[in-house]
Amino acid sequence: MIVLIGSAIGAFQVVARGNVAWSADDRTLQVLGLTPRQVVAVRVAGAMVTALTAALTAIVVMTVASPLAPVGPLHDSDPVVGVHLDLSVLAAGTAVILLIAATTSVLADIRSATAGGRSSRHPRAVTTFNSRPTAMAGLSFANPSGGESPGRAWSSIAFAIAAVALTAGVVTVGTSARALVNEPKRYGFDWDLIALNAFDDQRPEALQSIVAADPDVTAATGFTSNIYAINSTFVVPGFAITEIKERMQPTLIAGREVRAPNEVVLGRDTLREIGADIGDEITIEELTLSGAVSSPATVRIVGTVTFPPVSQTGNDQPRLGDGILLTSEARLALGVEANDPEWTAIRLADGVRADTFIAAHPDGIPTKGGAPTEWFTSAAPAEVRELEVVLGLLVGAASISFAIALAIVLYALLAQVRSSRRDMAVLHAIGFTRGQLAAVVAWQSLPLALASSVIGIPIGIWVGRQQYSGFARRLGVIEAASTRPLLMIGLVLGVLLALGLSIAVAMLMVRRTQPSIVLRSP
Protein backbone atom coordinates (compact mmCIF):
# COMPACT_ATOMS: atom_id res chain seq x y z
CA MET A 1 0.00 0.00 0.00
CA ILE A 2 2.86 2.38 0.78
CA VAL A 3 4.48 1.76 -2.60
CA LEU A 4 1.16 2.15 -4.43
CA ILE A 5 0.40 5.44 -2.65
CA GLY A 6 3.84 6.74 -3.60
CA SER A 7 3.32 5.61 -7.20
CA ALA A 8 -0.09 7.31 -7.31
CA ILE A 9 1.42 10.59 -6.09
CA GLY A 10 4.27 10.31 -8.60
CA ALA A 11 1.86 9.53 -11.46
CA PHE A 12 -0.26 12.55 -10.50
CA GLN A 13 2.79 14.83 -10.56
CA VAL A 14 3.99 13.54 -13.95
CA VAL A 15 0.54 13.74 -15.55
CA ALA A 16 -0.04 17.25 -14.15
CA ARG A 17 3.29 18.48 -15.51
CA GLY A 18 2.56 16.77 -18.84
CA ASN A 19 -0.78 18.55 -19.06
CA VAL A 20 1.00 21.91 -18.82
CA ALA A 21 3.62 20.90 -21.37
CA TRP A 22 1.03 19.56 -23.83
CA SER A 23 -1.39 22.50 -23.62
CA ALA A 24 0.06 24.11 -26.76
CA ASP A 25 -0.16 20.81 -28.61
CA ASP A 26 -3.84 20.54 -27.68
CA ARG A 27 -4.56 23.87 -29.32
CA THR A 28 -2.56 22.81 -32.37
CA LEU A 29 -4.57 19.59 -32.67
CA GLN A 30 -7.79 21.58 -32.61
CA VAL A 31 -6.44 23.86 -35.34
CA LEU A 32 -5.64 20.74 -37.39
CA GLY A 33 -9.26 19.59 -37.10
CA LEU A 34 -9.57 17.37 -34.01
CA THR A 35 -12.67 17.83 -31.90
CA PRO A 36 -12.33 18.68 -28.18
CA ARG A 37 -13.43 15.14 -27.32
CA GLN A 38 -10.70 13.65 -29.50
CA VAL A 39 -8.12 15.93 -27.87
CA VAL A 40 -9.24 14.71 -24.45
CA ALA A 41 -8.94 11.09 -25.67
CA VAL A 42 -5.37 11.71 -26.82
CA ARG A 43 -4.49 13.34 -23.51
CA VAL A 44 -6.07 10.52 -21.47
CA ALA A 45 -4.23 7.92 -23.59
CA GLY A 46 -0.92 9.60 -22.77
CA ALA A 47 -1.87 9.72 -19.09
CA MET A 48 -2.68 6.00 -19.16
CA VAL A 49 0.84 5.26 -20.41
CA THR A 50 2.25 7.19 -17.44
CA ALA A 51 -0.14 5.47 -15.01
CA LEU A 52 0.67 1.96 -16.26
CA THR A 53 4.39 2.72 -16.07
CA ALA A 54 3.88 3.83 -12.46
CA ALA A 55 1.88 0.67 -11.68
CA LEU A 56 4.49 -1.65 -13.24
CA THR A 57 7.24 0.16 -11.33
CA ALA A 58 5.25 -0.31 -8.13
CA ILE A 59 4.89 -4.05 -8.82
CA VAL A 60 8.64 -4.44 -9.30
CA VAL A 61 9.41 -2.47 -6.12
CA MET A 62 6.84 -4.43 -4.09
CA THR A 63 8.19 -7.74 -5.36
CA VAL A 64 11.76 -6.83 -4.47
CA ALA A 65 10.83 -5.35 -1.08
CA SER A 66 8.33 -8.02 0.05
CA PRO A 67 10.97 -10.40 1.54
CA LEU A 68 12.33 -7.47 3.60
CA ALA A 69 9.03 -6.00 4.80
CA PRO A 70 7.82 -5.26 7.36
CA VAL A 71 10.94 -3.64 8.76
CA GLY A 72 11.74 -3.96 12.44
CA PRO A 73 10.27 -6.26 15.13
CA LEU A 74 7.12 -6.86 13.05
CA HIS A 75 9.23 -8.76 10.50
CA ASP A 76 9.26 -11.84 12.76
CA SER A 77 5.46 -11.81 12.81
CA ASP A 78 5.08 -11.77 9.04
CA PRO A 79 2.75 -14.71 8.20
CA VAL A 80 4.11 -14.99 4.65
CA VAL A 81 7.86 -15.38 4.22
CA GLY A 82 9.56 -14.51 0.96
CA VAL A 83 8.17 -12.96 -2.20
CA HIS A 84 4.45 -12.27 -1.85
CA LEU A 85 1.97 -9.79 -3.35
CA ASP A 86 -1.59 -9.18 -2.19
CA LEU A 87 -3.46 -9.30 -5.50
CA SER A 88 -6.54 -7.52 -4.13
CA VAL A 89 -4.46 -4.58 -2.86
CA LEU A 90 -2.49 -4.58 -6.12
CA ALA A 91 -5.65 -4.48 -8.25
CA ALA A 92 -7.23 -1.75 -6.13
CA GLY A 93 -4.05 0.34 -6.14
CA THR A 94 -3.60 0.02 -9.90
CA ALA A 95 -7.23 1.07 -10.43
CA VAL A 96 -6.70 4.11 -8.20
CA ILE A 97 -3.55 5.12 -10.14
CA LEU A 98 -5.41 4.82 -13.47
CA LEU A 99 -8.36 6.77 -12.10
CA ILE A 100 -6.14 9.56 -10.77
CA ALA A 101 -4.31 9.86 -14.09
CA ALA A 102 -7.51 9.94 -16.15
CA THR A 103 -9.24 12.41 -13.80
CA THR A 104 -6.22 14.71 -13.79
CA SER A 105 -6.16 14.77 -17.60
CA VAL A 106 -9.88 15.47 -17.94
CA LEU A 107 -9.91 18.20 -15.29
CA ALA A 108 -6.85 19.83 -16.86
CA ASP A 109 -8.64 19.91 -20.22
CA ILE A 110 -11.73 21.47 -18.63
CA ARG A 111 -9.61 24.17 -16.99
CA SER A 112 -7.75 24.74 -20.26
CA ALA A 113 -11.00 25.09 -22.21
CA THR A 114 -12.41 27.50 -19.63
CA ALA A 115 -9.26 29.61 -19.62
CA GLY A 116 -9.13 29.57 -23.41
CA GLY A 117 -12.68 30.89 -23.59
CA ARG A 118 -11.78 33.88 -21.41
CA SER A 119 -8.46 34.58 -23.07
CA SER A 120 -8.15 37.02 -25.90
CA ARG A 121 -4.92 35.57 -27.17
CA HIS A 122 -4.89 33.99 -30.60
CA PRO A 123 -3.92 30.32 -30.97
CA ARG A 124 -0.40 29.57 -31.93
CA ALA A 125 0.47 29.00 -35.53
CA VAL A 126 0.48 25.52 -37.00
CA THR A 127 4.24 25.77 -37.37
CA THR A 128 4.60 25.43 -33.58
CA PHE A 129 3.54 21.79 -33.88
CA ASN A 130 7.01 20.37 -33.51
CA SER A 131 7.17 18.65 -30.11
CA ARG A 132 5.59 15.16 -30.51
CA PRO A 133 4.26 14.72 -34.05
CA THR A 134 4.78 10.96 -34.12
CA ALA A 135 2.97 10.45 -30.80
CA MET A 136 0.08 12.69 -31.77
CA ALA A 137 -0.35 11.03 -35.16
CA GLY A 138 -0.03 7.50 -33.80
CA LEU A 139 -2.54 8.03 -30.99
CA SER A 140 -4.95 9.67 -33.42
CA PHE A 141 -4.71 6.70 -35.81
CA ALA A 142 -5.28 4.32 -32.86
CA ASN A 143 -8.83 5.59 -32.35
CA PRO A 144 -10.93 2.59 -33.47
CA SER A 145 -13.97 4.77 -34.14
CA GLY A 146 -12.12 7.09 -36.48
CA GLY A 147 -11.15 4.65 -39.22
CA GLU A 148 -12.97 3.41 -42.28
CA SER A 149 -14.13 0.19 -40.57
CA PRO A 150 -14.78 0.87 -36.88
CA GLY A 151 -16.54 -2.46 -36.42
CA ARG A 152 -13.52 -4.38 -37.66
CA ALA A 153 -11.22 -2.28 -35.47
CA TRP A 154 -13.25 -2.96 -32.34
CA SER A 155 -13.46 -6.68 -33.16
CA SER A 156 -9.66 -6.80 -33.57
CA ILE A 157 -9.24 -5.26 -30.12
CA ALA A 158 -11.75 -7.72 -28.63
CA PHE A 159 -10.00 -10.72 -30.24
CA ALA A 160 -6.61 -9.50 -29.01
CA ILE A 161 -7.92 -9.14 -25.45
CA ALA A 162 -9.53 -12.59 -25.65
CA ALA A 163 -6.31 -14.16 -26.93
CA VAL A 164 -4.25 -12.70 -24.10
CA ALA A 165 -6.93 -13.72 -21.59
CA LEU A 166 -6.84 -17.28 -22.95
CA THR A 167 -3.09 -17.46 -22.40
CA ALA A 168 -3.35 -16.05 -18.88
CA GLY A 169 -6.16 -18.46 -18.02
CA VAL A 170 -4.32 -21.55 -19.26
CA VAL A 171 -1.16 -20.52 -17.39
CA THR A 172 -3.15 -19.95 -14.19
CA VAL A 173 -4.83 -23.37 -14.40
CA GLY A 174 -1.53 -25.09 -15.20
CA THR A 175 0.41 -23.50 -12.34
CA SER A 176 -2.41 -24.22 -9.90
CA ALA A 177 -2.48 -27.87 -10.99
CA ARG A 178 1.29 -28.10 -10.54
CA ALA A 179 0.95 -26.58 -7.06
CA LEU A 180 -1.64 -29.26 -6.18
CA VAL A 181 0.74 -32.01 -7.28
CA ASN A 182 3.81 -30.52 -5.55
CA GLU A 183 2.17 -29.43 -2.28
CA PRO A 184 0.74 -32.46 -0.40
CA LYS A 185 -0.97 -30.14 2.10
CA ARG A 186 -3.45 -29.24 -0.62
CA TYR A 187 -4.82 -32.80 -0.64
CA GLY A 188 -4.72 -33.43 3.11
CA PHE A 189 -1.17 -34.74 3.66
CA ASP A 190 -0.35 -32.00 6.18
CA TRP A 191 2.69 -33.70 7.68
CA ASP A 192 6.01 -35.28 6.68
CA LEU A 193 5.81 -38.95 7.58
CA ILE A 194 3.33 -41.77 8.24
CA ALA A 195 4.00 -44.84 10.39
CA LEU A 196 1.53 -47.66 9.56
CA ASN A 197 1.26 -51.09 11.20
CA ALA A 198 -0.94 -53.25 8.98
CA PHE A 199 -3.56 -55.39 10.83
CA ASP A 200 -2.35 -54.15 14.21
CA ASP A 201 -2.75 -51.29 16.69
CA GLN A 202 -0.09 -48.90 17.90
CA ARG A 203 0.13 -48.36 21.64
CA PRO A 204 -0.29 -44.68 22.59
CA GLU A 205 2.20 -45.00 25.44
CA ALA A 206 4.81 -46.38 23.04
CA LEU A 207 4.16 -43.49 20.65
CA GLN A 208 4.55 -41.05 23.54
CA SER A 209 7.89 -42.55 24.53
CA ILE A 210 9.20 -42.22 20.98
CA VAL A 211 8.08 -38.72 19.93
CA ALA A 212 7.27 -36.75 23.09
CA ALA A 213 10.86 -35.88 24.00
CA ASP A 214 12.27 -36.02 20.47
CA PRO A 215 13.19 -32.49 19.28
CA ASP A 216 13.08 -33.72 15.67
CA VAL A 217 9.29 -34.20 15.99
CA THR A 218 7.13 -31.10 16.32
CA ALA A 219 3.72 -32.84 16.24
CA ALA A 220 2.23 -36.32 16.02
CA THR A 221 -1.32 -37.65 15.88
CA GLY A 222 -2.65 -41.22 15.86
CA PHE A 223 -5.58 -42.23 13.61
CA THR A 224 -8.10 -45.05 14.12
CA SER A 225 -10.26 -46.09 11.15
CA ASN A 226 -13.95 -46.93 11.53
CA ILE A 227 -17.26 -46.74 9.70
CA TYR A 228 -19.94 -44.28 10.86
CA ALA A 229 -23.61 -43.70 10.09
CA ILE A 230 -24.69 -40.05 9.94
CA ASN A 231 -28.32 -39.34 10.88
CA SER A 232 -28.92 -43.13 10.61
CA THR A 233 -29.12 -42.82 6.81
CA PHE A 234 -25.68 -42.04 5.38
CA VAL A 235 -22.66 -44.33 5.89
CA VAL A 236 -19.17 -42.84 5.62
CA PRO A 237 -15.65 -43.95 6.63
CA GLY A 238 -14.00 -41.89 9.33
CA PHE A 239 -11.03 -41.32 11.63
CA ALA A 240 -10.88 -41.00 15.38
CA ILE A 241 -7.76 -39.06 16.36
CA THR A 242 -5.51 -39.48 19.39
CA GLU A 243 -3.26 -36.50 20.04
CA ILE A 244 0.26 -37.72 20.80
CA LYS A 245 2.21 -34.45 20.61
CA GLU A 246 0.63 -31.06 19.93
CA ARG A 247 -2.51 -30.78 17.77
CA MET A 248 -2.27 -31.91 14.14
CA GLN A 249 -5.17 -32.78 11.83
CA PRO A 250 -5.78 -33.12 8.08
CA THR A 251 -5.73 -29.91 6.04
CA LEU A 252 -8.56 -27.59 7.03
CA ILE A 253 -10.65 -26.10 4.22
CA ALA A 254 -13.26 -24.12 6.15
CA GLY A 255 -14.33 -23.59 9.77
CA ARG A 256 -11.99 -24.82 12.47
CA GLU A 257 -10.43 -28.02 13.79
CA VAL A 258 -12.03 -30.52 16.17
CA ARG A 259 -11.39 -29.54 19.79
CA ALA A 260 -14.10 -31.23 21.91
CA PRO A 261 -15.85 -34.64 22.11
CA ASN A 262 -19.10 -33.17 20.78
CA GLU A 263 -17.50 -31.82 17.58
CA VAL A 264 -16.73 -33.33 14.18
CA VAL A 265 -15.38 -32.14 10.83
CA LEU A 266 -16.48 -33.58 7.49
CA GLY A 267 -15.19 -33.81 3.96
CA ARG A 268 -16.73 -31.29 1.57
CA ASP A 269 -18.57 -34.00 -0.43
CA THR A 270 -19.94 -35.61 2.72
CA LEU A 271 -21.18 -32.25 3.98
CA ARG A 272 -22.96 -31.63 0.68
CA GLU A 273 -24.48 -35.10 0.45
CA ILE A 274 -26.10 -34.94 3.89
CA GLY A 275 -27.40 -31.44 3.15
CA ALA A 276 -25.78 -29.81 6.18
CA ASP A 277 -23.67 -26.73 6.86
CA ILE A 278 -20.93 -25.84 9.31
CA GLY A 279 -22.60 -25.20 12.66
CA ASP A 280 -25.38 -27.79 12.19
CA GLU A 281 -25.91 -30.69 14.58
CA ILE A 282 -26.01 -34.29 13.38
CA THR A 283 -26.21 -37.73 15.01
CA ILE A 284 -23.48 -40.31 14.49
CA GLU A 285 -23.24 -44.03 15.18
CA GLU A 286 -20.31 -46.41 14.74
CA LEU A 287 -20.81 -49.58 12.72
CA THR A 288 -18.76 -52.58 13.87
CA LEU A 289 -17.46 -55.44 11.74
CA SER A 290 -20.09 -57.75 13.25
CA GLY A 291 -22.88 -55.46 12.07
CA ALA A 292 -23.72 -54.05 15.46
CA VAL A 293 -24.51 -50.35 15.80
CA SER A 294 -23.29 -48.24 18.68
CA SER A 295 -25.50 -45.89 20.64
CA PRO A 296 -26.05 -42.54 18.85
CA ALA A 297 -24.48 -39.24 19.84
CA THR A 298 -25.33 -35.71 18.81
CA VAL A 299 -22.37 -33.70 17.59
CA ARG A 300 -21.82 -30.34 15.92
CA ILE A 301 -20.08 -29.81 12.56
CA VAL A 302 -17.29 -27.27 13.10
CA GLY A 303 -15.40 -27.45 9.79
CA THR A 304 -14.50 -29.22 6.57
CA VAL A 305 -11.19 -30.89 5.72
CA THR A 306 -9.60 -32.79 2.86
CA PHE A 307 -8.59 -36.35 3.77
CA PRO A 308 -5.42 -38.10 2.58
CA PRO A 309 -6.18 -41.66 1.37
CA VAL A 310 -4.52 -43.48 4.30
CA SER A 311 -6.24 -46.27 6.26
CA GLN A 312 -5.89 -49.71 7.73
CA THR A 313 -5.62 -52.40 5.06
CA GLY A 314 -9.00 -53.95 4.23
CA ASN A 315 -11.12 -51.04 5.51
CA ASP A 316 -12.90 -48.32 3.63
CA GLN A 317 -10.91 -45.14 3.93
CA PRO A 318 -11.74 -41.46 4.07
CA ARG A 319 -10.29 -39.72 1.02
CA LEU A 320 -10.33 -36.16 -0.22
CA GLY A 321 -13.94 -34.94 0.12
CA ASP A 322 -15.42 -38.06 1.74
CA GLY A 323 -15.06 -38.79 5.44
CA ILE A 324 -15.67 -37.78 9.04
CA LEU A 325 -13.14 -36.86 11.73
CA LEU A 326 -13.75 -36.97 15.48
CA THR A 327 -11.73 -37.29 18.66
CA SER A 328 -11.05 -40.59 20.40
CA GLU A 329 -13.06 -39.25 23.38
CA ALA A 330 -16.05 -38.69 21.08
CA ARG A 331 -15.73 -42.24 19.83
CA LEU A 332 -15.69 -43.67 23.38
CA ALA A 333 -18.82 -41.65 24.13
CA LEU A 334 -20.61 -43.87 21.61
CA GLY A 335 -20.22 -46.79 24.04
CA VAL A 336 -17.76 -48.80 21.93
CA GLU A 337 -14.59 -50.56 23.02
CA ALA A 338 -11.30 -48.68 22.99
CA ASN A 339 -9.36 -48.98 19.77
CA ASP A 340 -5.78 -47.74 19.58
CA PRO A 341 -4.38 -45.93 16.51
CA GLU A 342 -3.50 -47.98 13.45
CA TRP A 343 -1.25 -45.33 11.90
CA THR A 344 0.42 -42.18 13.09
CA ALA A 345 1.13 -38.95 11.22
CA ILE A 346 4.38 -37.19 12.17
CA ARG A 347 5.49 -33.65 11.42
CA LEU A 348 9.26 -33.17 11.57
CA ALA A 349 11.18 -30.07 12.60
CA ASP A 350 12.63 -27.81 9.94
CA GLY A 351 15.72 -29.32 8.34
CA VAL A 352 15.05 -32.89 9.55
CA ARG A 353 14.91 -35.42 6.71
CA ALA A 354 12.34 -38.20 6.80
CA ASP A 355 14.90 -40.89 5.87
CA THR A 356 17.13 -39.74 8.74
CA PHE A 357 14.27 -40.12 11.22
CA ILE A 358 13.36 -43.55 9.83
CA ALA A 359 16.97 -44.73 10.09
CA ALA A 360 17.05 -43.57 13.72
CA HIS A 361 14.07 -45.87 14.51
CA PRO A 362 14.91 -49.21 12.87
CA ASP A 363 12.47 -51.10 15.14
CA GLY A 364 9.55 -48.90 14.10
CA ILE A 365 6.54 -48.37 16.35
CA PRO A 366 5.86 -51.07 19.00
CA THR A 367 2.40 -52.67 18.59
CA LYS A 368 0.24 -55.13 20.46
CA GLY A 369 0.71 -57.92 17.90
CA GLY A 370 4.28 -57.11 16.91
CA ALA A 371 3.47 -56.23 13.29
CA PRO A 372 6.28 -54.43 11.42
CA THR A 373 6.06 -50.70 10.76
CA GLU A 374 5.73 -49.37 7.23
CA TRP A 375 6.94 -45.80 6.64
CA PHE A 376 5.38 -43.53 4.01
CA THR A 377 6.44 -40.05 2.96
CA SER A 378 3.65 -39.56 0.43
CA ALA A 379 -0.03 -40.38 0.15
CA ALA A 380 -1.00 -38.85 -3.18
CA PRO A 381 -4.43 -40.11 -4.32
CA ALA A 382 -4.98 -41.54 -7.79
CA GLU A 383 -6.59 -38.30 -8.97
CA VAL A 384 -3.46 -36.30 -8.14
CA ARG A 385 -1.17 -38.89 -9.73
CA GLU A 386 -3.23 -38.78 -12.91
CA LEU A 387 -3.08 -35.00 -12.84
CA GLU A 388 0.71 -35.20 -12.59
CA VAL A 389 0.76 -37.28 -15.77
CA VAL A 390 -1.13 -34.63 -17.77
CA LEU A 391 0.90 -31.64 -16.54
CA GLY A 392 2.95 -31.88 -19.72
CA LEU A 393 -0.25 -31.47 -21.75
CA LEU A 394 -1.04 -28.30 -19.80
CA VAL A 395 2.41 -26.95 -20.66
CA GLY A 396 1.73 -27.72 -24.30
CA ALA A 397 -1.67 -26.04 -24.07
CA ALA A 398 -0.04 -22.94 -22.60
CA SER A 399 2.48 -22.87 -25.45
CA ILE A 400 -0.23 -23.27 -28.08
CA SER A 401 -2.38 -20.56 -26.49
CA PHE A 402 0.63 -18.24 -26.41
CA ALA A 403 1.25 -18.88 -30.12
CA ILE A 404 -2.43 -18.23 -30.87
CA ALA A 405 -2.32 -15.01 -28.87
CA LEU A 406 0.80 -13.89 -30.71
CA ALA A 407 -0.83 -14.59 -34.09
CA ILE A 408 -4.09 -12.83 -33.21
CA VAL A 409 -2.38 -9.77 -31.75
CA LEU A 410 -0.05 -9.59 -34.76
CA TYR A 411 -3.03 -9.80 -37.12
CA ALA A 412 -4.87 -7.08 -35.15
CA LEU A 413 -1.88 -4.75 -35.27
CA LEU A 414 -1.27 -5.36 -38.98
CA ALA A 415 -4.96 -4.75 -39.72
CA GLN A 416 -4.79 -1.55 -37.70
CA VAL A 417 -1.71 -0.36 -39.60
CA ARG A 418 -3.21 -1.36 -42.94
CA SER A 419 -6.35 0.68 -42.24
CA SER A 420 -4.24 3.84 -41.90
CA ARG A 421 -1.81 3.16 -44.77
CA ARG A 422 -3.05 6.13 -46.83
CA ASP A 423 -2.57 8.46 -43.86
CA MET A 424 0.93 7.03 -43.44
CA ALA A 425 1.62 7.70 -47.11
CA VAL A 426 0.46 11.31 -46.72
CA LEU A 427 2.74 11.78 -43.71
CA HIS A 428 5.64 10.38 -45.71
CA ALA A 429 4.82 12.69 -48.61
CA ILE A 430 4.87 15.81 -46.38
CA GLY A 431 8.26 14.96 -44.95
CA PHE A 432 8.09 12.16 -42.37
CA THR A 433 11.07 9.85 -42.51
CA ARG A 434 10.69 6.07 -42.43
CA GLY A 435 12.00 6.09 -38.86
CA GLN A 436 9.28 8.57 -37.88
CA LEU A 437 6.65 6.44 -39.61
CA ALA A 438 7.85 3.44 -37.58
CA ALA A 439 7.52 5.57 -34.44
CA VAL A 440 3.97 6.48 -35.48
CA VAL A 441 3.18 2.76 -35.76
CA ALA A 442 4.62 2.17 -32.29
CA TRP A 443 2.38 4.86 -30.82
CA GLN A 444 -0.57 3.61 -32.85
CA SER A 445 -0.05 0.07 -31.51
CA LEU A 446 0.40 1.18 -27.90
CA PRO A 447 -3.32 1.49 -26.96
CA LEU A 448 -4.11 -1.96 -28.37
CA ALA A 449 -1.12 -3.46 -26.59
CA LEU A 450 -2.09 -1.81 -23.30
CA ALA A 451 -5.73 -2.88 -23.66
CA SER A 452 -4.67 -6.46 -24.41
CA SER A 453 -2.40 -6.71 -21.39
CA VAL A 454 -4.22 -4.53 -18.85
CA ILE A 455 -7.66 -6.00 -19.61
CA GLY A 456 -6.81 -9.45 -20.95
CA ILE A 457 -4.37 -10.60 -18.25
CA PRO A 458 -6.62 -9.85 -15.22
CA ILE A 459 -9.65 -11.37 -16.96
CA GLY A 460 -7.66 -14.47 -17.90
CA ILE A 461 -6.27 -14.90 -14.39
CA TRP A 462 -9.74 -14.50 -12.89
CA VAL A 463 -11.30 -17.01 -15.28
CA GLY A 464 -8.41 -19.45 -14.72
CA ARG A 465 -8.79 -19.18 -10.95
CA GLN A 466 -12.52 -19.83 -11.22
CA GLN A 467 -11.99 -22.86 -13.45
CA TYR A 468 -9.37 -24.37 -11.17
CA SER A 469 -11.44 -23.65 -8.05
CA GLY A 470 -14.38 -25.50 -9.59
CA PHE A 471 -12.15 -28.48 -10.43
CA ALA A 472 -10.61 -28.54 -6.93
CA ARG A 473 -14.03 -28.19 -5.31
CA ARG A 474 -15.33 -31.24 -7.17
CA LEU A 475 -12.19 -33.13 -6.22
CA GLY A 476 -12.49 -32.18 -2.55
CA VAL A 477 -9.04 -30.57 -2.19
CA ILE A 478 -7.89 -27.05 -1.37
CA GLU A 479 -9.54 -24.87 -4.01
CA ALA A 480 -7.32 -21.78 -3.75
CA ALA A 481 -5.55 -21.29 -7.08
CA SER A 482 -1.81 -20.66 -7.15
CA THR A 483 -1.00 -17.22 -8.60
CA ARG A 484 2.49 -16.63 -7.33
CA PRO A 485 3.78 -13.10 -7.94
CA LEU A 486 6.93 -14.18 -9.78
CA LEU A 487 4.90 -16.35 -12.11
CA MET A 488 2.43 -13.56 -12.78
CA ILE A 489 5.30 -11.19 -13.50
CA GLY A 490 6.69 -13.79 -15.92
CA LEU A 491 3.27 -14.00 -17.58
CA VAL A 492 3.13 -10.22 -17.96
CA LEU A 493 6.65 -10.15 -19.40
CA GLY A 494 5.76 -12.95 -21.83
CA VAL A 495 2.67 -11.10 -23.04
CA LEU A 496 4.67 -7.87 -23.37
CA LEU A 497 7.31 -9.78 -25.36
CA ALA A 498 4.64 -11.07 -27.75
CA LEU A 499 3.23 -7.58 -28.09
CA GLY A 500 6.71 -6.17 -28.69
CA LEU A 501 7.39 -8.72 -31.43
CA SER A 502 4.06 -7.89 -33.07
CA ILE A 503 4.76 -4.16 -32.95
CA ALA A 504 8.23 -4.73 -34.42
CA VAL A 505 6.72 -6.65 -37.36
CA ALA A 506 4.16 -3.88 -37.90
CA MET A 507 6.93 -1.25 -37.83
CA LEU A 508 8.92 -3.25 -40.40
CA MET A 509 5.85 -3.46 -42.59
CA VAL A 510 5.29 0.30 -42.66
CA ARG A 511 8.96 1.02 -43.31
CA ARG A 512 8.65 -0.99 -46.53
CA THR A 513 5.51 0.81 -47.69
CA GLN A 514 5.82 2.70 -51.01
CA PRO A 515 3.88 5.98 -50.58
CA SER A 516 3.53 6.61 -54.30
CA ILE A 517 1.89 3.23 -54.88
CA VAL A 518 -0.48 3.65 -51.94
CA LEU A 519 -1.53 7.19 -52.96
CA ARG A 520 -2.18 6.11 -56.58
CA SER A 521 -4.36 3.21 -55.49
CA PRO A 522 -8.14 3.88 -55.41
Side-chain angles (χ1 to χ4, degrees):
M1 292 180 65
I2 293 173
V3 174
L4 286 171
I5 291 173
S7 299
I9 295 173
F12 169 76
Q13 293 289 339
V14 174
V15 172
R17 291 176 181 272
N19 290 332
V20 176
W22 284 42
S23 58
D25 296 331
D26 293 343
R27 291 192 292 271
T28 302
L29 288 176
Q30 292 184 12
V31 171
L32 290 175
L34 290 186
T35 65
R37 182 175 296 179
Q38 290 174 325
V39 172
V40 173
V42 171
R43 175 175 283 185
V44 171
M48 291 298 98
V49 175
T50 301
L52 290 172
T53 302
L56 291 175
T57 303
I59 293 174
V60 173
V61 173
M62 286 188 293
T63 303
V64 174
S66 59
L68 307 176
V71 178
L74 289 177
H75 187 72
D76 295 334
S77 302
D78 186 8
V80 180
V81 180
V83 176
H84 177 73
L85 292 180
D86 191 324
L87 295 181
S88 59
V89 174
L90 178 59
T94 302
V96 169
I97 293 175
L98 295 174
L99 180 61
I100 289 175
T103 304
T104 304
S105 296
V106 174
L107 292 179
D109 184 78
I110 293 174
R111 289 196 301 268
S112 176
T114 303
R118 295 194 302 263
S119 176
S120 60
R121 292 182 300 173
H122 296 288
R124 293 187 179 184
V126 178
T127 54
T128 60
F129 182 65
N130 57 6
S131 56
R132 298 179 178 86
T134 55
M136 293 300 177
L139 293 176
S140 299
F141 295 160
N143 183 7
S145 301
E148 299 177 356
S149 302
R152 180 180 298 178
W154 282 112
S155 63
S156 297
I157 294 175
F159 277 117
I161 293 174
V164 173
L166 173 65
T167 302
V170 173
V171 171
T172 300
V173 172
T175 55
S176 300
R178 182 172 294 277
L180 175 61
V181 171
N182 295 337
E183 299 175 17
K185 182 178 180 179
R186 289 177 172 265
Y187 53 81
F189 193 89
D190 198 12
W191 37 75
D192 302 299
L193 192 61
I194 287 177
L196 171 67
N197 292 83
F199 304 106
D200 210 341
D201 294 334
Q202 300 171 343
R203 294 180 297 174
E205 58 274 12
L207 291 170
Q208 288 279 357
S209 64
I210 292 175
V211 303
D214 191 342
D216 291 343
V217 178
T218 59
T221 299
F223 290 78
T224 303
S225 303
N226 289 289
I227 304 297
Y228 296 90
I230 300 178
N231 294 334
S232 301
T233 57
F234 187 78
V235 177
V236 62
F239 289 138
I241 57 173
T242 302
E243 295 181 356
I244 307 300
K245 185 176 183 179
E246 301 299 332
R247 176 180 285 121
M248 185 178 64
Q249 299 179 18
T251 305
L252 188 68
I253 294 179
R256 62 173 178 84
E257 298 176 335
V258 170
R259 300 173 184 171
N262 64 336
E263 298 175 347
V264 297
V265 295
L266 304 177
R268 182 188 282 118
D269 295 340
T270 301
L271 185 69
R272 183 182 65 252
E273 288 172 357
I274 66 174
D277 293 314
I278 296 176
D280 292 348
E281 289 187 342
I282 58 174
T283 60
I284 61 172
E285 301 165 286
E286 183 175 305
L287 308 180
T288 64
L289 295 178
S290 61
V293 180
S294 70
S295 51
T298 301
V299 294
R300 184 178 300 276
I301 304 171
V302 296
T304 57
V305 298
T306 178
F307 291 97
V310 181
S311 185
Q312 180 63 280
T313 305
N315 289 347
D316 289 339
Q317 60 186 22
R319 61 188 321 275
L320 301 180
D322 295 315
I324 182 173
L325 184 75
L326 63 157
T327 65
S328 56
E329 293 80 7
R331 180 180 174 276
L332 293 176
L334 299 175
V336 296
E337 296 182 358
N339 189 3
D340 290 335
E342 297 140 4
W343 60 275
T344 300
I346 299 173
R347 182 177 295 156
L348 301 175
D350 293 340
V352 178
R353 293 171 53 91
D355 53 357
T356 302
F357 181 85
I358 296 173
H361 300 82
D363 297 331
I365 305 298
T367 62
K368 295 179 179 179
T373 300
E374 298 177 83
W375 301 95
F376 298 94
T377 57
S378 174
E383 294 87 343
V384 173
R385 294 184 181 276
E386 292 171 356
L387 182 61
E388 185 177 10
V389 174
V390 301
L391 282 180
L393 297 178
L394 291 176
V395 174
S399 302
I400 293 174
S401 64
F402 182 81
I404 293 174
L406 177 61
I408 291 178
V409 171
L410 177 60
Y411 174 79
L413 290 176
L414 293 180
Q416 189 180 59
V417 172
R418 183 176 177 81
S419 66
S420 59
R421 64 187 183 280
R422 292 187 66 86
D423 296 322
M424 292 287 188
V426 170
L427 290 177
H428 187 70
I430 64 176
F432 270 50
T433 65
R434 295 189 181 276
Q436 287 177 312
L437 291 178
V440 170
V441 171
W443 281 102
Q444 181 183 6
S445 305
L446 185 60
L448 187 144
L450 291 177
S452 301
S453 56
V454 174
I455 299 176
I457 292 177
I459 290 177
I461 292 176
W462 182 82
V463 172
R465 289 176 66 91
Q466 297 302 313
Q467 292 296 319
Y468 174 79
S469 296
F471 163 76
R473 195 178 302 113
R474 291 189 295 270
L475 198 59
V477 298
I478 297 295
E479 63 185 70
S482 177
T483 49
R484 296 179 177 178
L486 289 178
L487 181 65
M488 294 302 103
I489 293 174
L491 173 62
V492 172
L493 293 178
V495 171
L496 293 179
L497 175 62
L499 294 172
L501 292 175
S502 302
I503 293 174
V505 173
M507 293 171 65
L508 181 62
M509 172 183 172
V510 78
R511 289 176 68 95
R512 295 184 175 181
T513 301
Q514 298 295 329
S516 57
I517 298 176
V518 174
L519 293 175
R520 283 200 304 267
S521 61

